């Protein structure tokens, strides 16, 4: 297994290109199942999760051609397709559950392995299945698989009230509703930019969708969807991650492709912590005002609140702040596993359930640390940028799921970082 070695203390200067969003591409790709005609994604990220989604869609019968070093994906699923999503693929990546809605909408039946829990939480699918059942599907769990059938072979429109603004459930139901008979209304829908990106793509395929980006989404079902070409939206989590990098070790970085509207609640916290963020023609430029950031309290919430996917990176920064910060994780029940690793580097963190109290220290020390999930792994790399000596981050396969070439992007702006191939 590869590891990444970071030698701390070098200032960062230069530009980092921000790729297309993993969490947009992972819901845009299953949309190909909704049409017999080709769907082309541009600005697609090159990540192991995208490779897994490609493998899943190909197992269902999709033809996928990757071009321009993977930045362009041409996908089409015409004719007879397989409607079973196998456990062997689904267990590698939870987002595989985003084929359930499209398969049901297209074929009227689907068998999709339940992903099971993951490091950060139990992550059930009850909001997805309750919504599809309201649209006339009968869903039964057998041998770890969801067996779903649409009454009369076709889903019907429904009014669905979500108990929680789930991102995945909003995406699954919105896709399913595009081909359903009648109108579907999702109340308390998630408002993430990835959902707006999906709705924009579906509209360009001929879907009738209104209200994406608000808590109420209305979808008027149509008989069929056509071809489209769609640019994947910028990855706001990769953006936030690299915006934090110069705060750890000084300097100034411009994130190319960065957009303020994608990270506004995050920027508010950075400003309060003494970090300047300015808009440029090409993106967002970031530098800290003083020698150390200031303590701030953070609570994770659905968009437009503070994103849970930036919580670990923010915690790492607050380990170096002047003062004490309180972080509350409200989205996932087990998303502080980076804390004990940061403590190994000399941080002062007290975790009580979903609340972490971080007392800032003057400096961190390099150490061998273990990545436990995607965002935890990158928070340890960021901490390594500030730490005295060498930090060795192990199990970086977690990282490759969501970050393209971290060591090249950070190395290009002056970080002393390298990947060590595992045996
Ligand atoms: C998406 O996951 C993202 N993944 C996650 O990013 C992100 O953390 C999350 O949204 C929240 O922003 C992708 O887009 C592929 P949810 P998703 O459904 O759709 C509970 C990363 O690091 N819930 O909004 O799975 C659930 O257990 C990943 O890139 C139910 O109880 O998130 C969780 O506690 C990690 N029942 C909360 O809601 C359901 O049916 C939020 O889940 C669905 C969800």
């Amino acid at each position: 297994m590869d590891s990444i070695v970071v030698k701390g203390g070098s200032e960062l200067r230069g530009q980092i290109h921000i790729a297309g969003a993993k969490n947009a591409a992972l819901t845009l790709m299953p949309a190909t199942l909704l049409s017999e005609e080709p769907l082309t994604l541009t600005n697609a990220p090159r990540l192991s999760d995208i490779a897994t989604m490609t493998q899943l869609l190909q197992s269902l019968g999709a033809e996928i051609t990757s071009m321009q070093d993977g930045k362009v994906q041409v996908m089409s699923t015409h004719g007879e397709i397989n409607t079973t999503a196998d456990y062997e693929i689904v267990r590698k990546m939870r987002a595989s559950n985003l084929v359930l809605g499209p398969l049901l909408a297209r074929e009227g039946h689907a068998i999709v392995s339940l992903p099971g829990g993951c490091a950060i939480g139990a992550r059930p699918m009850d909001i997805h299945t309750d919504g599809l059942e309201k649209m006339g599907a009968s869903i039964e769990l057998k041998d770890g698989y969801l067996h779903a059938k649409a009454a009369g072979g076709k889903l019907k429109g429904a009014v669905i009230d979500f108990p929680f603004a789930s991102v995945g459930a909003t995406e699954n139901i919105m896709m399913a509703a595009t081909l359903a008979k009648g109108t579907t209304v999702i109340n308390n829908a998630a408002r993430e930019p990835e959902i707006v990106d999906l709705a924009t793509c579906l509209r360009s395929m001929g879907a009738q969708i209104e209200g994406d980006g608000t808590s109420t989404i209305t979808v008027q079902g149509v008989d069929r969807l056509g071809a489209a070409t769609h640019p994947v939206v910028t990855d706001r989590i990769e953006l936030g991650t690299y915006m934090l990098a110069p705060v750890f070790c000084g300097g100034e970085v411009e994130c190319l492709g960065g957009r303020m509207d994608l990270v506004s609640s995050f920027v508010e916290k950075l400003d309060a912590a003494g970090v300047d963020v300015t808009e440029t023609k090409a993106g967002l430029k970031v530098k800290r005002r003083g020698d150390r950031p200031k303590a701030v309290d953070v609570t994770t919430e659905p968009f437009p609140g503070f994103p849970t996917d930036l919580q670990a990176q923010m915690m790492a920064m607050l380990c170096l702040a002047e003062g004490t910060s309180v972080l509350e994780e409200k989205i996932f029940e087990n998303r502080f596993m980076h804390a004990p690793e940061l403590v190994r580097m000399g941080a002062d963190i007290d975790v009580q359930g979903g609340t972490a109290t971080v007392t800032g220290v003057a400096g961190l020390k390099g150490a061998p640390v273990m990545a436990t999930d995607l965002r935890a792994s990158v928070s340890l790399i960021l901490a390594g940028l500030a730490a005295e000596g060498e930090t060795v981050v192990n199990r970086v396969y977690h990282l490759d799921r969501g970050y393209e070439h971290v060591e090249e992007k950070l190395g290009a702006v002056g970080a002393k970082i390298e990947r060590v191939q595992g045996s």
Side-chain angles (χ1 to χ4, degrees):
M1 266 184 277
D2 292 6
S3 52
I4 288 192
V5 179
V6 189
K7 289 195 182 64
S10 312
E11 283 206 348
L12 304 183
R13 287 196 187 285
Q15 299 178 317
I16 296 180
H17 168 75
I18 306 302
K22 167 182 82 80
N23 290 347
L26 289 178
T27 187
L28 289 162
M29 293 175 76
T32 185
L33 298 168
L34 295 167
S35 172
E36 300 267 342
E37 297 181 46
L39 172 60
T40 302
L41 297 181
T42 60
N43 194 35
R46 282 80 50 94
L47 304 165
S48 61
D49 270 7
I50 300 302
T52 306
M53 184 57 85
T54 301
Q55 192 195 356
L56 174 63
L57 292 171
Q58 285 170 332
S59 78
L60 299 176
E63 281 167 30
I64 301 184
T65 315
S66 179
M67 299 187 291
Q68 290 178 27
D69 184 23
K71 283 191 125 175
V72 175
Q73 305 273 353
V74 183
M75 307 172 287
S76 67
T77 45
H78 38 75
E80 194 74 21
I81 65 166
N82 162 23
T83 56
T84 300
D86 195 81
Y87 173 68
E88 281 315 311
I89 304 177
V90 173
R91 70 181 177 78
K92 288 190 233 165
M93 180 186 68
R94 301 185 47 73
S96 307
N97 64 14
L98 294 171
V99 300
L100 178 60
L103 283 174
L104 255 183
R106 179 196 174 108
E107 299 293 326
H109 55 87
I111 299 175
V112 174
S113 170
L114 207 56
C118 89
I120 63 177
R123 304 180 76 177
M125 283 185 66
D126 54 318
I127 305 176
H128 302 237
T129 52
D130 290 355
L132 291 168
E133 283 174 339
K134 288 227 171 66
M135 298 175 74
S138 60
I139 302 180
E140 207 190 333
L141 178 63
K142 261 190 289 186
D143 313 322
Y145 282 80
L146 294 172
H147 292 247
K149 268 202 183 65
K154 192 167 177 66
L155 293 173
K156 59 180 179 27
V159 176
I160 302 168
D161 301 317
F162 279 178
F164 178 83
S166 155
V167 172
T170 303
E171 293 163 343
N172 241 332
I173 301 293
M174 189 164 72
M175 287 192 278
T178 57
L179 297 176
K181 197 162 177 21
T183 305
T184 300
V185 178
I186 308 173
N187 293 317
N188 194 23
R191 303 167 54 190
E192 272 67 4
E194 295 75 30
I195 287 165
V196 173
D197 203 43
L198 174 63
T200 306
C201 175
L202 293 169
R203 275 191 290 268
S204 65
M205 294 166 75
Q208 294 185 17
I209 302 174
E210 286 170 11
D212 45 298
T214 77
S215 299
T216 304
I217 296 177
T218 305
V219 184
Q220 177 64 46
V222 296
D223 292 337
R224 57 180 298 284
L225 294 180
T229 296
H230 178 81
V232 179
V233 70
T234 296
D235 193 319
R236 63 195 168 98
I237 307 302
E238 188 194 28
L239 170 62
T241 302
Y242 289 121
M243 287 170 71
L244 280 173
V247 186
F248 285 81
C249 48
E252 183 174 63
V253 165
E254 183 180 15
C255 295
L256 304 179
R259 282 172 31 200
M260 200 60 104
D261 63 316
L262 295 174
V263 284
S264 49
S265 60
F266 173 65
V267 170
E268 263 169 46
K269 289 294 174 187
L270 288 188
D271 183 44
V275 179
D276 281 336
V277 178
T278 43
E279 285 181 280
T280 63
K281 279 209 191 70
L284 299 176
K285 198 175 264 183
V286 184
K287 75 176 183 349
R288 67 178 187 220
R289 286 197 281 272
D291 290 342
R292 289 175 66 184
K294 295 193 183 62
V296 289
D297 295 342
V298 171
T299 300
T300 63
E301 293 168 297
F303 192 89
F306 190 96
T308 173
D309 296 345
L310 285 173
Q311 177 259 98
Q313 302 91 317
M314 194 71 176
M315 179 188 277
M317 182 194 89
L318 294 171
C319 291
L320 294 160
E322 283 165 345
T324 299
S325 312
V326 176
L327 282 105
E328 285 191 276
E329 174 54 58
K330 293 272 184 182
I331 307 293
F332 292 105
E333 62 271 27
N334 186 31
R335 202 170 202 181
F336 284 141
M337 291 203 290
H338 37 283
E341 299 300 313
L342 290 166
V343 167
R344 285 176 47 73
M345 299 175 72
D348 179 350
I349 307 169
D350 173 38
V351 173
Q352 302 293 335
T355 303
T357 304
V358 181
T359 304
V361 295
L364 295 173
K365 290 206 170 33
V369 288
M370 194 69 77
T372 47
D373 62 78
L374 168 58
R375 308 304 172 183
S377 54
V378 83
S379 76
L380 301 174
I381 288 183
L382 291 175
L385 295 174
E388 195 189 310
E390 217 176 68
T391 299
V392 181
V393 182
N394 295 302
R395 293 196 191 157
V396 290
Y397 58 83
H398 288 291
L399 192 77
D400 297 334
R401 300 188 55 176
Y403 292 91
E404 287 183 352
H405 318 302
V406 158
E407 67 277 20
E408 286 163 25
K409 288 193 176 184
L410 286 172
V413 292
K416 291 198 175 59
I417 181 168
E418 60 172 334
R419 178 181 292 253
V420 177
Q421 306 284 337
S423 50

